[in-house]
Amino acid sequence: MKSTSPNVVMLETVQADVRVPEAYTAAQPVTLYSPSTVAAEAYTKIGRQMKLYR
């Protein structure tokens, strides 16, 4: 995202999490597959920062 949108600043970073590839394999977003993981919470915060949802 930094290379395509250099003027966008995100306050949250997504840490590596084994649940992300597991969610991909299950064809589900990690926020539904395992919502309490660190990665899912980070993606939720980013979505809120981008005003994609509440």
Side-chain angles (χ1 to χ4, degrees), residues 43-54:
Y43 280 119
T44 299
K45 288 179 184 178
I46 290 169
R48 288 184 180 138
Q49 286 176 18
M50 296 176 72
K51 302 198 185 318
L52 298 176
Y53 57 89
R54 298 173 194 220

Side-chain angles (χ1 to χ4, degrees), residues 4 7 11-12 14-16 21 23 28 30 35 38-39 41 43-45 47-48 51 53:
T4 60
N7 296 327
L11 302 176
E12 189 68 33
V14 180
Q15 301 294 322
Q28 293 183 356
V30 71
V38 175
E41 291 175 0
Y43 280 119
T44 299
K45 288 179 184 178
R48 288 184 180 138
K51 302 198 185 318
Y53 57 89

Side-chain angles (χ1 to χ4, degrees), residues 11-32:
L11 302 176
E12 189 68 33
T13 58
V14 180
Q15 301 294 322
D17 193 326
V18 71
R19 297 291 185 191
V20 174
E22 288 178 3
Y24 177 80
T25 301
Q28 293 183 356
V30 71
T31 53
L32 294 178

